Amino acid sequence: MPKVKSKLVGTKLKLKFIVTEKGKVEDIRLEKPLASYSNVERMTFANQTLEAVKKWRFEPGRDANDNPIAVKVIMLVKVVKYGKIFRVLASIDFDDG
């Protein structure tokens, strides 16, 4: 993940992508276009986050017979501050739609 600066606190990103049968990330996109972010730092952070997640590897989904399958994923990313420390929190869910 990219380095976090104080100007990024409160930034929220919603990424959608597919995890393939081999655990690779494909078809990654932001729910909002990059140009919609309020400042250059947030736009840069969003772009760097996309580039980082493209390189990640996941355990693929599994069907009822335990065979690997591709799954649609939604990832929520939020920048928060705990005292003097900045954190990037991420949660992942499956896209049933």
Side-chain angles (χ1 to χ4, degrees):
M1 291 296 252
K3 187 173 179 179
V4 177
K5 299 177 182 178
S6 62
K7 292 180 183 179
L8 295 174
V9 171
T11 300
K12 296 177 185 176
L13 305 176
K14 186 174 186 179
L15 291 74
K16 293 185 175 187
F17 54 91
I18 294 173
V19 173
T20 69
E21 299 89 352
K22 299 200 182 277
K24 294 182 178 182
V25 174
E26 289 185 353
D27 299 328
I28 189 168
R29 65 189 188 285
L30 289 166
E31 185 175 64
K32 295 187 334 184
L34 278 176
S36 68
Y37 289 93
S38 60
N39 61 42
V40 174
E41 288 87 0
R42 287 183 179 196
M43 195 181 307
T44 300
F45 175 76
N47 192 50
Q48 289 174 341
T49 300
L50 281 174
E51 292 304 314
V53 174
K54 283 180 187 178
K55 298 175 185 174
W56 292 3
R57 296 294 174 260
F58 291 85
E59 273 298 311
R62 299 278 175 179
D63 66 13
N65 296 319
D66 203 34
N67 297 310
I69 59 170
V71 292
K72 293 180 183 177
V73 176
I74 298 171
M75 176 183 243
L76 303 175
V77 177
K78 183 178 180 182
V79 179
V80 296
K81 185 177 180 185
Y82 292 111
K84 295 181 180 182
I85 299 172
F86 298 99
R87 296 276 189 233
V88 177
L89 305 177
S91 63
I92 294 178
D93 201 357
F94 297 102
D95 185 355
D96 296 329

